[in-house]
Amino acid sequence: MPLKIYNTMSGVVEEFIPGGDKKERIADYPTVNMYSCGPTVYSYAHIGNFRTFIFNDLFRRYLKFRGFTVNHAMNITDVDDKTISGALAENVSLKEYTDKYIGIFFDDLRTLNIEPVEHTPRATESIDAMIDLVERLDAKGIVYEKDGSRYFSIKKFGEYGKLSRLDSREIRSGLRYDTDEYEKDDIRDFALWKAGKENEPSWDTPFGKGRPGWHIECSAMVRKVFGTTIDIHTGGVDLIFPHHENEIAQSEAAYGEKFVRYWVHAEHLLVDGSKMSKSKGNFYTLRDLLDKGYSPRAIRYLLVTAHYRKQLNFTLEGLLQAGQALQRIDNLLLRLREITGNSDENLVVKTNSDDFIKKFIESMDDDLNASRGLGIFFEYLHSINSLLDEGRIAKVDAERVFCVLKRIDSVFGFIFFPEETDAGIDAERIEALIDERNRSRREKNFKRSDEIRDILLDEGIVLEDTKDGTRWKKKK
Ligand SMILES: [Zn+2]
C-alpha cells in the first residue's frame, strides 16, 4: 500500500509520488522537497498557528518513518505591515524587533518537540530572489506600475483560481478579498513590490526603492532553496486564497514550470467551539498554556492526534484528557522497566507488535490518519498491559515493546522514555532532589527550589512541572 495524501489542487486523495515518476520501492524515490509557510514574526505564535506547525512536523516525520529522505524549508516572514508597525511602535530597528520573536518562535518549536527543518530562509535575506522574480514577470509583460509600486496583472495568468476554485465573480465581488486597495487595475491584482515610504525599511532595486509584498516572499524563497518544482507545499487552509493562489501565479508565470505537486492544508483550530479571539478570552499562546500548568507533551498530543483535515476543537478539558492518556503510556513504560529475569520470549508480543506496526502504517498511509493511528496504538498498549497483568511479559518482550514505541514516537513525538536518561545519571539522586524542590516550594522557600532546578539544569537535566507532578528528562 502506497502513501496517499489529499491534494487541494486536485481535490482528491492521491498516491504520493515525489519527483513525479512512480518507482517500485520508496528507497528509489528522489529526496522529497517540502516547503511550509512559516510564521510572521511580529508577536507570539498562538495555539492555532501551532496546529499547522505540528501538522508539518507530523508529515515530515512520517515521510522519514516510511523511508523517504526529506529536504524541508520553512520561511520566516520578517518584513510586512505588522512587523514594520511593531518595530515602529517600539522604536527599534526591524531586525531587532523580528530577531526577538524569531528567538521566541524557535524556543516554542523546541518546547513542542517539533523537529528543526533543513532550511529557514528569512524574507529580508532573500531580496535578490524576489528581484529576479519581479524582473522575469516584468519581461513577460505581467507587471504594471502604479504610484511606484509593482502589481501582478491577474488577467495575464489564465489559470488564476485553479487551487481555490473560486470563480472570478466571487473574487471580483470582493466577497473574499480586501477591497481597500483602490489603486489597482483589477480588484484581484496584488502587489509584488511596494513603493518605499518614509519610516519604512526599503531596498534598492532596478525598479526603485521599496519592500516586498507578502506573497512574493514565499515564491522567491521556494525558488532560492529548491530551484525547481517542489513535491509538497503546506500551510493552513486560510492561506489557500489568496496567498497560495498568488504564489502559484507568480512562480508558474515567471519560471514556466509546475510550482508544486501536492498542496496539503491543515484545517482550522477552534477554541471552545469558536474562532479564537482576544476579546472572547479564548486566545492562547503556547506560553499562556504552559503558565496555566499544562505540559508541552499534552499540547503536542492533542494537536498531533487530531486528523489534519478536520477542524479541531481545542479545550482545556481536552488537554487534561491528553495528560491522562500520556499518564497511561508512562505507567506502561514504568511497568515494562520493572521486568527482570530471563524467561523465554512470548511470541504473542511479537505477533501483536508486528500487527500493530502494520495497522499503524495502513492508517497513516491513508491521508495521514493520525487519529486512527492513535486508536490502534492504544489497542496495542491495552494488549501489552493485559499480558503484563497475566505475568506473560519477559524482559526480552519488554525490550521489543520499547523498540516499537520508539519507532512510533519518531512520528508522534510525545512519549517520554525515562530509560534514555540512564547513562551516567543517578536517577535516585535526581528524584530525591525533585522531592526536596517540591517540599521547598510548598514551604515557599523559592530560593532553594530555584537552586535545585539550576543544579539539575547544569547537569543537563530539565524539569517539567505537570498537573500530574514533576518529571525530568535529559536535555537534548
Ligand atoms: Zn507562504
Side-chain angles (χ1 to χ4, degrees):
M1 274 280 289
L3 168 60
K4 291 183 179 164
I5 190 81
Y6 181 83
N7 188 347
T8 309
M9 183 62 87
S10 64
V12 293
V13 176
E14 293 177 21
E15 180 174 348
F16 179 61
I17 303 175
D21 294 319
K22 190 166 166 55
K23 310 277 186 202
E24 278 303 308
R25 298 175 317 154
I26 286 177
D28 297 333
Y29 279 112
T31 295
V32 175
N33 287 331
M34 176 170 180
Y35 182 91
S36 302
C37 287
T40 301
V41 283
Y42 69 101
S43 178
Y44 292 85
H46 58 66
I47 199 69
N49 302 134
F50 285 116
R51 177 186 196 183
T52 308
F53 297 128
I54 280 191
F55 163 67
N56 297 336
D57 188 51
L58 176 78
F59 197 177
R60 70 170 268 130
R61 281 167 175 260
Y62 187 65
L63 288 169
K64 286 169 33 175
F65 175 92
R66 285 295 262 127
F68 293 99
T69 312
V70 178
N71 189 26
H72 189 183
M74 179 183 65
N75 70 298
I76 305 286
T77 297
D78 60 353
V79 53
D80 80 321
D81 293 345
K82 289 177 193 153
T83 45
I84 290 171
S85 63
L88 280 175
E90 287 188 15
N91 201 20
V92 294
S93 71
L94 182 66
K95 178 154 173 37
E96 198 178 326
Y97 183 78
T98 55
D99 274 353
K100 175 182 154 192
Y101 288 107
I102 289 171
I104 290 168
F105 179 69
F106 282 111
D107 279 349
D108 286 354
L109 294 187
R110 272 189 294 276
T111 301
L112 287 173
N113 200 18
I114 291 174
E115 282 187 353
V117 300
E118 286 69 26
H119 313 269
T120 48
R122 296 187 188 189
T124 55
E125 292 169 1
S126 313
I127 302 291
D128 285 359
M130 298 177 206
I131 293 173
D132 180 69
L133 219 164
V134 175
E135 289 197 310
R136 280 170 190 267
L137 291 172
D138 195 29
K140 293 183 176 176
I142 296 170
V143 180
Y144 63 90
E145 184 264 331
K146 262 197 180 168
D147 301 328
S149 293
R150 295 292 190 285
Y151 292 91
F152 186 104
S153 177
I154 291 299
K155 62 175 183 288
K156 304 265 177 68
F157 183 69
E159 294 177 56
Y160 193 81
K162 64 182 175 179
L163 180 70
S164 51
R165 287 185 283 276
L166 294 176
D167 73 28
S168 57
R169 246 173 328 142
E170 195 176 358
I171 299 171
R172 268 174 202 284
S173 71
L175 203 66
R176 297 287 298 269
Y177 207 71
D178 172 18
T179 50
D180 292 340
E181 297 182 45
Y182 297 108
E183 68 269 33
K184 297 178 291 193
D185 283 354
D186 184 316
I187 193 95
R188 300 172 300 166
D189 292 347
F190 57 92
L192 294 161
W193 195 259
K194 297 184 175 183
K197 284 190 200 150
E198 232 177 281
N199 280 336
E200 282 195 356
S202 59
W203 286 263
D204 280 319
T205 72
F207 35 88
K209 242 175 139 53
R211 65 176 175 94
W214 172 39
H215 310 299
I216 199 169
E217 296 183 0
C218 287
S219 282
M221 285 186 265
V222 167
R223 190 74 188 177
K224 187 178 159 180
V225 174
F226 299 104
T228 182
T229 305
I230 58 169
D231 297 301
I232 302 168
H233 193 315
T234 72
V237 284
D238 51 323
L239 296 186
I240 295 174
F241 183 83
H243 183 53
H244 289 162
E245 200 71 76
N246 291 351
E247 281 189 39
I248 294 169
Q250 293 164 150
S251 294
E252 297 197 348
Y255 299 109
E257 60 180 28
K258 192 184 181 90
F259 180 41
V260 171
R261 292 192 182 90
Y262 300 86
W263 284 94
V264 185
H265 293 97
E267 254 297 343
H268 284 298
L269 174 138
L270 303 174
V271 175
D272 298 330
S274 56
K275 212 174 159 218
M276 243 192 312
S277 80
K278 287 191 172 148
S279 60
K280 279 191 203 139
N282 66 350
F283 185 97
Y284 298 120
T285 65
L286 176 61
R287 280 150 206 243
D288 293 337
L289 295 168
L290 300 182
D291 287 346
K292 286 177 183 289
Y294 295 99
S295 80
R297 291 174 71 206
I299 298 166
R300 181 178 174 96
Y301 178 99
L302 194 58
L303 296 183
V304 91
T305 52
H307 192 278
Y308 78 97
R309 278 206 293 132
K310 296 215 169 91
Q311 283 196 347
L312 166 60
N313 186 24
F314 184 92
T315 61
L316 296 183
E317 178 59 31
L319 263 188
L320 275 181
Q321 285 164 6
Q324 287 158 3
L326 286 167
Q327 183 74 58
R328 290 203 293 279
I329 300 171
D330 292 348
N331 290 344
L332 176 68
L333 289 177
L334 286 174
R335 290 186 78 188
L336 288 170
R337 281 188 87 201
E338 285 161 6
I339 303 279
T340 50
N342 287 322
S343 12
D344 288 342
E345 179 181 15
N346 179 352
L347 287 176
V348 175
V349 175
K350 181 175 172 1
T351 310
N352 286 5
S353 299
D354 292 349
D355 193 41
F356 159 58
I357 294 275
K358 190 171 147 274
K359 284 186 183 159
F360 176 76
I361 291 175
E362 278 168 11
S363 308
M364 293 296 286
D365 274 358
D366 182 11
D367 196 23
L368 299 174
N369 195 333
S371 53
R372 202 196 307 149
L374 184 77
I376 291 162
F377 175 67
F378 272 102
E379 279 171 23
Y380 172 66
L381 296 191
H382 182 72
S383 77
I384 300 300
N385 258 323
S386 303
L387 290 169
L388 276 164
D389 291 342
E390 295 162 13
R392 292 169 64 201
I393 297 269
K395 186 148 182 65
V396 58
D397 302 318
E399 275 159 14
R400 180 189 296 284
V401 178
F402 268 121
C403 285
V404 169
L405 295 186
K406 278 202 173 154
R407 259 189 92 190
I408 294 307
D409 204 47
S410 72
V411 180
F412 280 153
F414 52 59
I415 302 179
F416 181 60
F417 288 99
E419 95 284 8
E420 269 176 9
T421 57
D422 274 352
I425 286 173
D426 181 350
E428 258 175 55
R429 183 180 146 265
I430 293 170
E431 299 288 350
L433 281 169
I434 289 174
D435 284 346
E436 191 192 337
R437 174 170 169 267
N438 289 340
R439 223 168 28 244
S440 308
R441 291 209 297 183
R442 278 198 300 277
E443 291 159 4
K444 305 220 183 306
N445 181 356
F446 296 114
K447 187 165 167 287
R448 179 61 186 155
S449 65
D450 286 350
E451 214 171 78
I452 293 171
R453 176 177 281 264
D454 291 344
I455 290 170
L456 290 171
L457 201 58
D458 279 347
E459 296 173 15
I461 305 295
V462 189
L463 300 187
E464 185 183 305
D465 293 315
T466 73
K467 282 247 176 315
D468 317 308
T470 306
R471 299 185 194 293
W472 60 274
K473 62 181 174 189
K474 198 160 165 43
K475 203 158 63 182
K476 280 186 194 139

